[in-house]
Amino acid sequence: MGKDFYNPIEGISRDELRKLQFTRLQKTITSALNVPFYQKEFKAFGLSASDIRSLDDLTKLPFTTKDDLRNNYPFGMAAIPLKDCVRVHSSSGTTGNPTVVLHSKNDLDAWAELVARNLYMVGVRDTDVFQNTSGYGMFTGGLGFQYGAEKLGCLTVPAAAGNSKRQIKFMKDFGTTVVHIIPSYATRLAEVMAEEGVDPKKDLKIRILAIGAEPHTEEQRKRIEELLGVKAYNSFGMSE
């Protein structure tokens, strides 16, 4: 771990970055072409892997839509054998078939590394106490941030979702300094703190919030910072 970057790769030059991106793009395309869906898509567009000769050729590639993922439920998009997969996550499926994502052991290691980089970038360090208020089910925010915070070396509190009074008790008793939380719940938690006579700016040690998993405005983010006396950083992503 360097002084400025969690991973030195974050400091490479633009030319080095483009070379790395192209190498990984080629690898991704080769892997995707193990999937019947992409074999058909490439054929329909008159494309082959050899047609992608630079990052500029990204414009030649067909889009993958949410419906494509739903229509290939559950494992039609798998690019590696199921025996090499160790976990599955999915969306809620409230608008039809859920979108499913399979993960290999290597995927999980890469995911933890990326979340660790995400947290390090906003000032989280191995001396922090990290409390995760996301659910630990099919939603990726629970386990994803858990493994990332552990990889960074934080003392982790897998508090999971809900039970606001218990969340606040853990924050006080464990000396929580970083919290992963959805924006609407951050606002609700501030309300419960006020009801319980807890001043987050005086009674707690929280200094950083990682917020995401639902749309929110810049005004809402700033409001959360004011309510809790913290720095709040957007953390966005999706399973697929």
Side-chain angles (χ1 to χ4, degrees):
M1 227 183 286
K3 180 179 179 182
D4 299 314
F5 303 113
Y6 177 79
N7 187 319
I9 199 171
E10 297 172 48
I12 63 177
S13 69
R14 173 62 62 178
D15 286 343
E16 290 175 306
L17 177 60
R18 286 184 66 84
K19 289 177 182 176
L20 179 61
Q21 287 173 328
F22 181 58
T23 297
R24 291 184 175 177
L25 174 62
Q26 289 179 307
K27 184 177 180 181
T28 299
I29 290 170
T30 299
S31 180
L33 286 174
N34 291 325
V35 182
F37 170 81
Y38 286 112
Q39 293 170 9
K40 293 177 183 176
E41 286 288 288
F42 266 61
K43 186 175 181 179
F45 277 74
L47 284 174
S48 67
S50 61
D51 291 324
I52 310 302
R53 300 186 182 94
S54 73
L55 290 178
D56 294 332
D57 289 332
L58 270 169
T59 57
K60 298 179 181 179
L61 296 174
F63 283 101
T64 302
T65 69
K66 202 90 167 179
D67 281 340
D68 293 330
L69 299 177
R70 292 190 182 107
N71 292 339
N72 285 278
Y73 175 89
F75 303 138
M77 288 293 205
I80 62 174
L82 283 181
K83 69 178 182 61
D84 295 329
C85 300
V86 296
R87 192 194 301 169
V88 60
H89 280 280
S90 80
S91 65
S92 61
T94 53
T95 56
N97 274 338
T99 55
V100 168
V101 184
L102 292 160
H103 300 273
S104 68
K105 179 64 169 65
N106 185 64
D107 291 332
L108 296 184
D109 291 342
W111 186 4
E113 170 75 9
L114 291 170
V115 174
R117 284 170 57 182
N118 174 318
L119 293 172
Y120 190 88
M121 186 185 302
V122 299
V124 183
R125 296 295 184 266
D126 57 10
T127 51
D128 278 300
V129 178
F130 177 90
Q131 187 161 325
N132 194 1
T133 68
S134 289
Y136 282 75
M138 300 301 274
F139 171 58
T140 52
L143 290 169
F145 270 82
Q146 177 69 31
Y147 281 95
E150 286 179 359
K151 187 172 182 66
L152 185 53
C154 300
L155 173 60
T156 59
V157 184
N163 200 335
S164 297
K165 292 182 180 180
R166 188 184 68 161
Q167 298 280 4
I168 296 167
K169 177 176 176 58
F170 286 166
M171 290 172 182
K172 290 175 66 176
D173 295 349
F174 300 156
T176 299
T177 55
V178 181
V179 179
H180 177 230
I181 193 168
I182 64 173
S184 58
Y185 188 48
T187 304
R188 173 57 186 155
L189 204 57
E191 293 174 351
V192 177
M193 288 177 185
E195 293 167 4
E196 295 296 307
V198 175
D199 184 342
K201 301 173 185 178
K202 296 179 180 179
D203 302 329
L204 303 178
K205 296 180 180 179
I206 302 170
R207 61 188 190 88
I208 292 174
L209 291 191
I211 57 175
E214 66 183 12
H216 58 281
T217 64
E218 177 64 5
E219 289 73 21
Q220 187 177 2
R221 187 190 66 79
K222 289 180 179 178
R223 175 63 175 155
I224 290 169
E225 289 187 329
E226 293 170 1
L227 286 170
L228 296 174
V230 299
K231 290 294 292 180
Y233 298 93
N234 299 336
S235 180
F236 56 92
M238 59 186 72
S239 296
E240 59 271 23

